[in-house]
């Protein structure tokens, strides 16, 4: 629905066949701004949100596609209210929180323009804002403040005594890109900050969420108001938002030359390595050439999933620029580069006078101020629907279509090709993720996750804010029934306090007040404290004392685990958690699978959609001709192995499971099998049991089925490398096992999977035999 708008200096109001009551309720200044901006009408989300927010009675969630008018749906009525009913005294009246400084800077310009000519001030507060402007705001707070969760955290920590006065007149809290916070440590931090803000103000403040359209908007509502999500009024736009142009390009990577594949005991190793490198570079050159042809001359982001691939593609694109005698426009960006090099790329992306394409890992997915780009390229399978949605949000931010080009390489199939590659895992996963994105689905957060690391951060922040806090007040502020960490019980909170005290993170005075200990004081005083998130812990990979490289570890790690690194298959022979090192030995077997997007976690629903895609005959229009052929190959192998009827296959004397479950359930199932003596390895799409027959695996599955769901905390105790979040190193073993089990294991889903596998195995049907 769109309504036409007349000149407010002539006949005020909106007129169409039905009229617009919403426009007539806006302040005359806002009406004039709309008319001067040459709007032809209000969007449907704006029409519905204005009456809810101009005189608010509760929380509101506005959902629309990118460029669907969400920001104006919130701020047209908010600014009208603030102008119609100015509150006496000092204090901020509206708070806007966004995940990106780029968004804040963009909205600052728009809101400043909207408020121009009024007494309503607009401020921004993040790391790039000058200190004198922040000081000026603190002396006379008023109007609208735009900030990030990290900067809001800094206000609590550094200016805790000013918080009540600063937000005493606050009427609205607006959270933009709400979907980006779902299920993350940053999201837990934001929920805590909003709760603490209301505690400081001693009243409930209207919250307004702005979110991209999701399949289940209750997820975003629960992020906005965790205690009463059912009371959040949802305004979901029925209008199409930003156009999306997408294509998936498929490539086949040539198999190694005959006679150069090596042997099972590792002989002829160098020729095989050279052949694999040649094949990889062939597909890399083809992809790089296409990227060079379509991206040069504009600003773009290329996501390549791993640091090695980022460097490889950045190098190829640089060489193509040199061969074409053109200035290089392509630069790498990842966490292992120095801060100076990363900042040079970020500055170049913001420079309107030169075209730049950054080839990046997740470092440019969000949080870095680079403005908008012309297009997004994804090399390899996207990590998740949520991740792809976030990456797409970087493209087409100013009304232009969002552009996504995805490049998938699959190996040439031979007799030694692993089953995951026979099923074209990367191509099928990519197709499933894009289809789910177009359907509006997104990975839901797990309510069972404890977010203990972020609870530690918020406890230290609370102590810093008040100069000390009693254990009871801390529990009530953070873990009570309405608190952001209500899954933590009083006994568990007491255990956490003891663990932190043992490590000198906190201290307790004689009257019982919690204070910062030596370690806590040092941590809070460092600028990095304000962010709740961190990269996964990196472990050094060693073989025979020789360093192979480092690997971020955010998956279950155990002796005997198979790892793929440097194009080789390895078996873990030793783990030193203190030294953060992993000892490896060459593993026996065929060429490692290329599936699974560099180890990123995949949701159960994505895997189920992959199975549905393989079992169907639908042909997505966004696949190019080679990609369609890869899908046809996958479907042929899916039928040949009888995977529509069974998920446990014999492979000679070994067995392969294709459970069609996500990373968390598959990791749990793998750990359960290993606990029963099966040498199982989670390869992503498949679980390989190299030394166990199909009958042996079936017998163990029967044992697991009869035992019921396993105790997840007991299972977590057998896992190494559980310290994956920022402050996990301060948790004792019991706390860490509880947190890891809630975050990374799902024994109920694993047990349901076991029952399904047994049911399939007992059903009459063809035995697919080996691979």
């Amino acid at each position: 629905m769109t309504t036409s708008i007349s000149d407010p200096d002539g006949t005020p109001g909106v007129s169409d066949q039905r009229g617009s009551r919403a426009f007539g309720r806006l302040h005359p200044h806002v009406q004039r701004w709309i008319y001067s901006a040459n709007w032809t009408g209000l969007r449907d989300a704006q029409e519905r949100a204005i009456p809810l927010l101009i005189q608010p009675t509760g929380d509101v969630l506005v959902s629309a596609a990118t460029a669907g008018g969400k920001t104006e749906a919130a701020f047209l009525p908010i600014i009208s209210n603030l102008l119609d009913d100015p509150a006496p005294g000092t204090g901020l009246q509206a708070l806007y929180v966004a995940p990106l400084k780029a968004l804040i800077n963009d909205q600052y310009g728009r809101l400043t323009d909207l408020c121009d000519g009024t007494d309503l001030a607009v401020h921004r507060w993040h790391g790039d804002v000058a200190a004198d402007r922040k000081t000026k705001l603190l002396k006379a707070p008023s109007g609208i403040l735009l900030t990030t969760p990290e900067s809001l955290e800094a206000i609590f920590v550094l200016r805790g005594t000013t918080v009540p006065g600063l937000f005493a007149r606050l009427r609205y809290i607006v959270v933009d890109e709400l979907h980006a916070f779902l299920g993350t440590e940053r999201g837990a931090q934001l929920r805590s900050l909003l709760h603490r803000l209301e505690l400081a103000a001693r009243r409930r403040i209207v919250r307004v969420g702005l979110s991209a359209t999701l399949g289940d908007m209750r997820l975003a509502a629960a992020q906005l108001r965790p205690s009463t999500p059912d009371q959040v009024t949802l305004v979901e736009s029925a209008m199409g938002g930003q156009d999306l142009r997408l294509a998936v390009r498929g490539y086949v990577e040539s198999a190694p030359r005959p006679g150069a594949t090596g042997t099972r005991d590792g002989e002829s190793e160098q020729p095989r390595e050279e052949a694999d490198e040649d094949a990889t570079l062939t597909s890399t050159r083809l992809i790089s050439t296409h990227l060079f042809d379509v991206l040069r001359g504009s600003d773009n982001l290329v996501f390549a999933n791993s640091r090695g691939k980022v460097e490889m593609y950045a190098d190829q694109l640089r060489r193509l620029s040199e061969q074409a005698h053109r200035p290089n426009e392509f630069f790498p960006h990842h966490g292992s580069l120095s801060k100076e090099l990363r900042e040079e790329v970020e500055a170049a992306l913001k420079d309107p006078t030169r075209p730049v394409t950054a080839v990046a890992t997740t470092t440019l997915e969000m949080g870095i101020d680079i403005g908008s780009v012309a297009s997004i390229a994804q090399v390899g399978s996207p990590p998740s629907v949520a991740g792809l949605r976030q990456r797409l949000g970087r493209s087409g931010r100013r009304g232009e279509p969002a552009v996504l080009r995805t490049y998938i390489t699959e190996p040439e199939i031979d007799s030694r090709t692993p089953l995951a590659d026979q099923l074209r895992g990367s191509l099928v996963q990519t197709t499933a993720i894009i289809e789910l994105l177009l359907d509006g689905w997104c990975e839901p957060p797990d309510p069972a996750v404890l977010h203990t690391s972020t609870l530690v951060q918020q406890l230290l922040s609370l102590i810093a804010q008040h100069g000390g806090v009693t254990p009871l007040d801390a529990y009530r502020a953070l873990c009570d029934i309405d608190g952001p960490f209500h899954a933590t019980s009083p006994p568990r909170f007491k255990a956490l306090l003891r663990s932190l005290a043992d490590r000198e993170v906190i201290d307790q005075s004689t009257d019982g007040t919690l204070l910062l200990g030596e370690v806590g004081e040092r941590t809070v005083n460092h600028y990095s404290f304000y962010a709740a998130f961190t990269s996964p812990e990196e472990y050094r990979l060693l073989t025979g004392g020789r360093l192979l490289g480092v690997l971020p570890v955010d998956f279950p790690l155990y002796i005997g685990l198979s790892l793929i690194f440097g194009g080789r298959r390895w078996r873990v022979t030793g783990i030193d958690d203190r030294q953060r090192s992993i000892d490896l030995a060459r593993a026996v077997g065929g060429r490692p699978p290329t599936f699974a997007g560099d180890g990123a976690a995949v949701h159960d629903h994505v895997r189920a959609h992959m199975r549905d895609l393989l079992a169907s005959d639908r042909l997505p229009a966004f696949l190019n001709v080679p990609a369609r052929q890869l899908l046809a190959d996958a479907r042929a192998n899916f039928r040949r192995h009888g995977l529509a009827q069974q998920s446990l296959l014999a492979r000679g004397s070994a067995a392969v499971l294709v459970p069609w479950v996500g990373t968390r359930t598959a990791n749990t199932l793998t750990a359960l099998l290993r606990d029963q003596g099966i040498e199982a390895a989670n390869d992503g799409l498949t679980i390989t049991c190299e030394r166990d027959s199909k009958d042996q695996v079936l017998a163990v599955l029967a044992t697991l089925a009869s035992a019921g769901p396993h105790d997840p905390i007991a299972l977590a105790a057998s896992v190494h490398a559980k310290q994956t979040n920022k402050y996990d190193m301060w948790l004792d073993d019991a706390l860490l096992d509880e947190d890891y089990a809630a975050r990374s294991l799902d024994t109920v889903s694993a047990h349901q999977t076991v029952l399904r596998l047994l049911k399939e195995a007992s059903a009459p049907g063809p035995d697919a035999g080996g691979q």
Side-chain angles (χ1 to χ4, degrees):
M1 179 189 72
T2 302
T3 54
S4 61
I5 301 172
S6 63
D7 184 353
D9 292 325
T11 305
V14 177
S15 62
D16 68 353
Q17 294 179 353
R18 294 162 296 166
S20 172
R21 296 179 181 178
F23 182 77
R25 299 186 64 178
L26 296 173
H27 188 277
H29 172 83
V30 176
Q31 292 180 345
R32 285 191 294 271
W33 180 87
I34 291 173
Y35 183 74
S36 65
N38 296 319
W39 284 22
T40 59
L42 297 177
R43 303 286 183 92
D44 66 333
Q46 297 160 357
E47 188 75 28
R48 294 161 56 196
I50 287 170
L52 295 170
L53 292 174
I54 203 159
Q55 291 180 337
T57 58
D59 304 321
V60 177
L61 174 59
V62 181
S63 168
T66 302
K70 295 188 295 292
T71 303
E72 290 78 9
F75 276 103
L76 294 181
I78 288 174
I79 290 173
S80 290
N81 189 357
L82 300 183
L83 292 175
D84 279 330
D85 185 22
T90 60
L92 294 165
Q93 295 173 272
L95 175 68
Y96 168 93
V97 183
L100 304 171
K101 288 190 292 183
L103 266 181
I104 290 171
N105 293 337
D106 183 57
Q107 301 293 10
Y108 174 77
R110 295 165 68 182
L111 294 181
T112 299
D113 180 59
L114 178 53
C115 295
D116 186 36
T118 74
D119 293 331
L120 196 60
V122 181
H123 315 273
R124 53 182 165 174
W125 186 307
H126 55 64
D128 296 339
V129 176
D132 61 334
R133 301 197 66 172
K134 296 178 180 178
T135 301
K136 183 179 178 181
L137 169 64
L138 292 171
K139 288 181 178 179
S142 66
I144 304 169
L145 175 63
L146 289 69
T147 192
T148 63
E150 291 72 30
S151 292
L152 184 58
E153 185 76 71
I155 292 173
F156 274 99
V157 171
L158 300 176
R159 298 172 174 86
T161 58
T162 70
V163 168
L166 189 62
F167 297 106
R169 299 168 60 204
L170 194 65
R171 302 190 204 176
Y172 298 93
I173 299 172
V174 180
V175 181
D176 205 351
E177 304 282 357
L178 189 63
H179 54 277
F181 294 103
L182 295 178
T184 66
E185 296 302 318
R186 204 180 190 201
Q189 176 190 23
L190 177 62
R191 290 195 300 273
S192 179
L193 291 172
L194 298 187
H195 184 67
R196 290 168 59 193
L197 193 61
E198 291 188 337
L199 290 177
R202 297 181 179 274
R203 57 188 169 83
R204 190 180 179 105
I205 301 168
V206 171
R207 299 183 187 180
V208 184
L210 308 179
S211 176
T213 301
L214 304 175
D216 185 356
M217 291 309 302
R218 290 174 297 179
L219 301 175
Q223 173 71 47
L224 183 66
R225 182 66 72 176
S227 59
T228 55
D230 56 322
Q231 296 180 22
V232 176
T233 301
L234 176 60
V235 175
E236 194 163 6
S237 174
M239 297 178 63
Q242 169 189 42
D243 290 336
L244 172 61
R245 299 177 183 174
L246 57 88
V248 175
R249 301 178 62 85
Y251 297 83
V252 175
E253 183 179 297
S254 300
R257 297 186 305 271
T261 57
T263 64
R264 292 178 65 87
D265 61 3
E267 295 176 357
S268 302
E269 181 177 307
Q270 186 62 32
R272 173 184 170 178
E273 184 176 83
E274 293 172 355
D276 285 344
E277 182 179 359
D278 289 344
T280 300
L281 288 178
T282 299
S283 60
T284 303
R285 289 191 186 106
L286 290 172
I287 294 172
S288 298
T289 300
H290 190 267
L291 288 170
F292 180 78
D293 291 340
V294 299
L295 300 186
R296 59 191 172 95
S298 60
D299 290 347
N300 309 275
L301 293 179
V302 177
F303 291 100
N305 286 347
S306 72
R307 301 174 202 188
K309 288 183 179 178
V310 163
E311 293 289 355
M312 183 169 62
Y313 280 102
D315 176 68
Q316 286 288 315
L317 290 162
R318 176 189 57 79
R319 292 166 65 183
L320 288 170
S321 299
E322 293 174 351
Q323 292 168 12
H325 305 290
R326 297 177 63 97
N328 181 39
E329 304 173 9
F330 304 92
F331 302 93
H333 190 288
H334 57 75
S336 293
L337 293 172
S338 69
K339 179 182 178 183
E340 290 74 20
L341 289 176
R342 295 197 307 270
E343 289 180 344
E344 285 178 10
V345 178
E346 294 158 19
L349 281 166
K350 290 187 286 187
D351 185 351
T353 65
R354 57 181 293 203
V356 170
T357 292
V359 187
T361 56
T362 57
T363 51
L364 287 179
E365 189 172 293
M366 62 178 294
I368 304 296
D369 180 8
I370 60 168
S372 60
V373 296
S375 71
I376 301 296
Q378 170 70 48
V379 181
S381 181
S384 63
V385 179
L388 183 59
R389 182 188 296 279
Q390 195 61 47
R391 293 175 179 186
L392 266 176
R394 290 293 205 179
S395 173
R397 281 179 171 242
R398 306 185 189 279
E400 296 297 320
V403 178
L404 171 66
R405 299 179 178 92
T406 303
Y407 301 81
I408 300 298
T409 300
E410 292 285 1
E412 191 173 71
I413 293 177
D414 58 26
S415 60
R416 295 169 60 86
T417 302
L419 181 56
D421 285 343
Q422 292 183 39
L423 295 174
R424 303 305 194 190
S426 288
L427 185 280
V428 176
Q429 178 176 315
T430 299
T431 305
I433 284 176
I434 291 176
E435 287 190 335
L436 290 170
L437 175 75
L438 296 176
D439 288 343
W441 182 85
C442 186
E443 288 86 359
D446 188 339
V449 176
L450 296 169
H451 296 292
T452 309
S453 172
T454 305
L455 171 56
V456 170
Q457 184 218 33
Q458 290 301 291
L459 174 62
L460 299 186
S461 174
L462 193 68
I463 294 172
Q465 176 190 353
H466 297 286
V469 64
T470 68
L472 180 59
D473 286 343
Y475 184 83
R476 286 173 174 171
L478 299 173
C479 306
D480 213 350
I481 187 64
D482 292 333
F485 305 98
H486 56 82
T488 290
S489 64
R492 189 171 193 275
F493 189 71
K494 291 179 182 178
L496 176 62
L497 295 182
R498 287 194 296 269
S499 182
L500 296 176
D502 290 344
R503 290 155 179 79
E504 299 183 349
V505 179
I506 62 173
D507 199 358
Q508 194 166 25
S509 65
T510 54
D511 65 356
T513 301
L514 297 177
L515 304 171
L516 294 176
E518 181 180 345
V519 174
E521 190 84 41
R522 188 166 59 245
T523 301
V524 171
N525 287 334
H526 195 270
Y527 70 89
S528 64
F529 171 74
Y530 309 124
F533 57 87
T534 187
S535 300
E537 191 72 45
E538 286 189 340
Y539 276 58
R540 293 177 301 130
L541 301 182
L542 306 171
T543 180
R546 180 167 64 94
L547 179 66
L548 296 176
V550 294
L551 181 71
V553 175
D554 54 0
F555 51 87
L557 189 61
Y558 46 82
I559 304 296
L561 173 70
S562 294
L563 284 180
I564 300 166
F565 191 81
R568 301 293 186 84
R569 183 177 289 273
W570 307 89
R571 182 177 294 275
V572 174
T573 59
I575 303 167
D576 189 330
D577 287 324
R578 174 171 292 185
Q579 297 297 322
R580 298 289 188 271
S581 65
I582 302 171
D583 291 319
L584 303 175
R586 285 294 303 273
V588 177
R591 187 183 55 76
T594 58
F595 174 75
D598 200 46
V602 181
H603 193 273
D604 283 343
H605 190 56
V606 174
R607 289 276 195 257
H609 197 86
M610 291 171 65
R611 184 179 189 178
D612 175 70
L613 178 65
L614 288 171
S616 73
D617 58 1
R618 67 179 182 273
L619 196 59
F622 50 79
L623 300 179
N624 75 345
V625 173
R628 293 181 183 186
Q629 183 57 53
L630 290 173
L631 180 58
D633 293 345
R635 285 172 169 164
N637 288 318
F638 180 84
R639 292 190 297 269
R640 180 168 64 88
H641 289 294
L643 288 171
Q645 293 80 35
Q646 61 174 340
S647 301
L648 175 58
L649 309 178
R651 193 189 75 173
S653 59
V656 177
L657 280 164
V658 193
W660 303 109
V661 294
T663 304
R664 186 178 178 189
T665 303
N667 282 339
T668 307
L669 181 57
T670 302
L672 288 170
L673 290 170
R674 295 189 64 84
D675 190 57
Q676 294 292 318
I678 299 290
E679 291 197 22
N682 181 10
D683 302 319
L685 184 61
T686 61
I687 297 175
T688 302
C689 308
E690 288 282 0
R691 302 178 185 274
D692 302 278
S693 68
K694 180 179 177 179
D695 289 341
Q696 288 173 309
V697 173
L698 279 173
V700 168
L701 291 176
T703 300
L704 292 172
S706 61
H710 202 84
D711 178 4
I713 298 175
L715 191 61
S718 67
V719 176
H720 291 271
K722 293 187 283 284
Q723 297 180 11
T724 57
N725 286 322
K726 193 170 185 178
Y727 299 113
D728 284 351
M729 70 282 194
W730 293 336
L731 307 182
D732 61 30
D733 289 342
L735 288 166
L736 190 58
D737 287 344
E738 288 177 1
D739 187 83
Y740 182 85
R743 179 178 73 245
S744 300
L745 299 177
D746 190 339
T747 55
V748 172
S749 177
H751 185 254
Q752 292 171 346
T753 302
V754 167
L755 295 176
R756 173 171 58 81
L757 294 172
L758 286 172
K759 183 178 179 180
E760 291 176 356
S762 63
D767 190 332
Q771 294 186 42

